[in-house]
């Protein structure tokens, strides 16, 4: 069987790596893929982007199923296009992906269905937004309604900072149409976790939990990034908390979408803040897997991923079970010089450690140029390892990180610290 994966990041490499392990899968095609998925027996990169071209390719090559990694093609309706052509694809439709591409939609939806989240209001008028900030005080959070590639959230510690964010988004339109409407919401305290499920429209199957590290520098300092590392499981999600998240957040979301006539199929990612009062609240929904959470999650998945995705596409998830490696996994992102503002490209990557049962280097911003691997994006690699416990997974991952070389490489040295501290 042939499978097509849309995207080019570490998440997509991990998905393709896992799918290629299915005895039924002959080859995984990636559009466009990266340096880790080219020139290899298991994978083939294809340089197509246009949805109609991809549909034609999937038909010509008799692709059994297409799996979509990033949010942009989902928001642009790739699932609608493939389905209209009678092709099998796993992901939410454009309407269902609204949970991610409109924060205003997601917040109003959560209010309609009593799903716990921070109190908020939405604005298109800057003066009204400024007045609301004056009323609520700081800390407070300003979010662009639309997709902004990780730049749409400002956690303002002062009212001045919140006013600045509103002026930039609504006044100067620094994020374009994505910031033409803003959500202003209360600041929530607690511990974050990523809770991701597979959905078939009615039923869900929870994946292993994970936690990522959004800031660039050790100690959660520096600018926000797409994620500098992740580990699975997230100890903050105890079995009791797991049941509660399903009951209070995931189930009502899937049921609410169905009740509103928008069936949700695909991965659904709830970014959670678990308060000191023990209440989980939704910070955001993503309509896709997280990156880099996917890398440790896929390393722990023992079941055949194709089987699970087929159950989801066939509305048959009710009977599916996923087996997980009881060993924790931890991934360290190695980013390019200048990331996140202005990542430099073209640095030569040498000396990658060979993959092993308990250690895999997933590629993201890499490219093969004349047989040489070079950097081609912000997050370059995610070195991921399994261990008997989190500490040994971390030791193993950093052993591999130490073997990777390219000019200007940046990585955090404290991935997993919070969980390790909590367990001591
Ligand atoms: P989002 O893209 O909505 O997940 O926001 C990015 C990051 O901003 C989250 O991972 C949190 O660290 C932080 N954040 C978002 N909303 C809030 C909130 N209401 N209170 C505190 N932190 C938040
Ligand atoms: N790691 C966070 C995300 O993928 O949105």
């Amino acid at each position: 069987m042939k499978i097509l994966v849309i995207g080019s990041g570490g998440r997509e490499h991990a998905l393709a790596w896992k799918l290629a392990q299915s005895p039924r899968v002959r080859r995984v095609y990636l559009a466009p893929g990266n340096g880790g998925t080219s020139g290899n027996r298991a994978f083939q990169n294809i340089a197509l982007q246009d949805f109609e071209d991809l549909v034609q390719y999937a038909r010509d090559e008799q692709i059994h199923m297409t799996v979509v990694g990033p949010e942009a093609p989902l928001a642009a309706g790739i699932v609608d296009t493939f389905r209209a052509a009678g092709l099998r694809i796993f992901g939410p439709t454009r309407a269902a992906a609204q949970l991610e591409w409109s924060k205003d939609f997601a917040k109003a939806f959560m209010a309609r269905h009593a799903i716990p989240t921070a109190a908020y209001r939405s604005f298109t008028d800057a003066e009204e937004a400024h007045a609301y900030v004056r009323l609520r005080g700081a800390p407070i959070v300003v979010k662009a309604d639309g997709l902004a590639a990780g730049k749409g959230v400002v956690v303002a510690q002062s009212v001045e900072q919140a006013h600045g964010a509103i002026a930039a988004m609504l006044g100067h339109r620094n994020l374009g149409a994505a910031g033409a409407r803003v959500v202003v919401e209360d600041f929530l305290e607690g511990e974050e976790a990523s809770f991701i499920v597979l959905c078939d429209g009615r039923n869900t199957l929870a994946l292993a939990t994970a936690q990522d590290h959004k800031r660039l520098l050790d100690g959660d300092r520096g600018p926000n990034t797409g994620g500098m590392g992740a580990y699975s499981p997230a100890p903050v999600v105890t079995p009791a908390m797991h049941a509660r998240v399903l009951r209070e957040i995931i189930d009502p979301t899937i049921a609410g979408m169905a009740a509103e006539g928008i069936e949700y199929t695909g991965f659904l990612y709830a970014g959670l803040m678990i308060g000191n009062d023990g209440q989980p609240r939704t910070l955001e929904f993503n309509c896709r897997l997280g990156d880099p959470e996917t890398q440790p999650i896929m390393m722990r998945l023992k079941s055949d991923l194709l089987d699970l995705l087929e159950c989801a596409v066939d509305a048959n998830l009710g009977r599916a079970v996923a087996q997980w490696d009881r060993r924790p996994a931890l991934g360290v992102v190695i980013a390019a010089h200048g990331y996140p503002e202005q990542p430099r490209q073209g640095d030569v990557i040498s000396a990658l450690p060979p993959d092993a049962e308990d250690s895999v280097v997933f590629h993201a911003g890499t490219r093969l140029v004349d047989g040489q691997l070079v950097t081609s994006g912000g997050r370059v690699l995610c070195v991921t390892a399994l261990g008997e416990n989190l500490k040994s997974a971390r030791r193993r991952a950093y052993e591999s990180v130490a073997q990777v070389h390219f000019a200007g490489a940046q990585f955090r040295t404290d991935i997993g610290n919070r969980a390790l501290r909590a367990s001591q």
Side-chain angles (χ1 to χ4, degrees):
M1 254 170 212
K2 298 174 178 177
I3 307 291
L4 174 61
V5 172
I6 308 291
S8 66
R11 165 183 51 208
E12 289 76 21
H13 187 188
L15 274 173
W17 170 85
K18 184 66 201 168
L19 284 164
Q21 289 170 20
S22 169
R24 291 188 295 143
V25 172
R26 190 149 58 90
R27 203 163 217 200
V28 182
Y29 295 79
L30 291 103
N34 60 39
T37 59
S38 63
N40 182 311
R41 220 166 3 99
F43 307 125
Q44 185 174 324
N45 290 344
I46 57 171
L48 297 177
Q49 245 189 338
D50 181 80
F51 294 171
E52 295 298 340
D53 292 345
L54 288 165
V55 161
Q56 193 59 47
Y57 186 86
R59 276 216 188 97
D60 292 348
E61 289 295 323
Q62 296 185 306
I63 298 289
H64 176 69
M65 189 188 324
T66 300
V67 185
V68 189
E71 63 277 16
L74 293 167
I78 192 170
V79 170
D80 309 67
T81 306
F82 269 65
R83 281 197 194 159
L87 296 172
R88 291 178 121 204
I89 186 164
F90 184 63
T93 58
R94 172 169 161 73
Q98 225 175 146
L99 279 177
E100 177 166 359
W101 61 256
S102 171
K103 290 199 191 275
D104 178 52
F105 173 88
K107 294 295 287 189
F109 173 86
M110 286 190 269
R112 284 197 292 280
H113 297 280
I115 295 164
T117 185
Y120 85 107
R121 276 189 53 195
S122 282
F123 302 93
T124 51
D125 182 273
E127 276 322 305
E128 289 177 21
H130 288 303
Y132 184 69
V133 166
R134 279 193 293 274
L135 187 74
R136 301 297 283 194
I140 193 156
V141 183
V142 180
K143 301 184 173 183
D145 175 45
L147 294 180
K151 296 191 169 64
V153 176
V154 176
V155 179
Q157 295 303 331
S158 66
V159 288
E160 290 73 29
Q161 201 187 348
H163 289 309
I166 290 166
M169 290 183 202
L170 288 180
H172 308 306
R173 291 287 159 91
N174 68 334
L175 298 175
R181 179 188 291 275
V182 300
V183 163
V184 182
E185 71 176 24
D186 287 358
F187 174 82
L188 297 177
E189 270 179 284
E191 187 153 0
E192 286 186 56
S194 305
F195 199 103
I196 308 174
V197 299
L198 276 163
C199 308
D200 70 358
R202 305 256 150 212
N203 308 293
T204 61
L205 179 69
L207 301 183
T209 56
Q211 209 152 359
D212 83 347
H213 298 61
K214 289 215 160 82
R215 303 289 207 94
L216 180 70
L217 305 173
D218 283 5
D220 293 325
R221 291 173 303 110
N224 253 322
T225 71
M228 292 299 290
Y231 53 88
S232 170
V236 61
V237 186
T238 59
M241 181 58 66
H242 198 274
R244 193 167 170 186
V245 171
L246 284 175
R247 194 172 63 240
E248 294 182 16
I249 294 173
I250 302 294
D251 294 347
T253 300
I254 301 304
M257 291 294 274
E260 295 191 13
I262 311 175
E263 212 165 70
Y264 195 100
T265 56
F267 294 105
L268 178 69
Y269 168 138
L272 304 176
M273 185 69 90
I274 297 174
N276 301 328
D277 57 356
Q279 172 70 53
R281 292 182 181 83
T282 309
L283 287 179
E284 61 162 348
F285 284 120
N286 294 319
C287 59
R288 50 169 176 83
L289 286 165
D291 190 340
E293 291 95 322
T294 304
Q295 291 84 318
I297 290 175
M298 285 301 132
M299 273 200 79
R300 294 190 59 222
L301 180 61
K302 289 178 122 171
S303 311
D304 186 317
L305 178 61
L306 179 62
D307 289 349
L308 297 178
L309 297 185
E310 278 186 325
C311 283
V313 169
D314 297 339
N316 208 8
L317 257 191
R319 277 179 293 159
V321 264
Q323 303 288 343
W324 299 97
D325 198 316
R326 55 166 191 78
R327 293 176 294 173
L330 181 143
V332 179
V333 168
I334 309 184
H337 175 82
Y339 179 74
E341 275 86 22
Q342 277 192 320
R344 186 170 70 197
Q345 301 196 7
D347 287 307
V348 174
I349 305 166
S350 58
L352 286 188
D355 289 346
E357 185 272 332
D358 61 348
S359 169
V360 178
V361 178
F362 293 111
H363 291 232
T366 73
R367 199 152 47 101
L368 270 181
V369 180
D370 300 329
Q372 194 163 49
L373 197 63
V374 300
T375 64
S376 66
R379 291 184 291 174
V380 177
L381 301 164
C382 181
V383 178
T384 310
L386 287 161
E388 277 308 312
N389 50 44
L390 193 62
K391 208 168 165 185
S392 48
R394 177 157 98 156
R395 189 181 323 113
R396 184 86 175 92
Y398 277 109
E399 274 167 16
S400 294
V401 169
Q403 294 177 47
V404 176
H405 288 288
F406 62 87
Q410 311 184 63
F411 58 88
R412 280 179 63 157
T413 64
D414 66 346
I415 301 302
N417 248 7
R418 195 177 303 177
L420 285 171
R421 266 205 311 272
S423 68
Q424 272 162 12

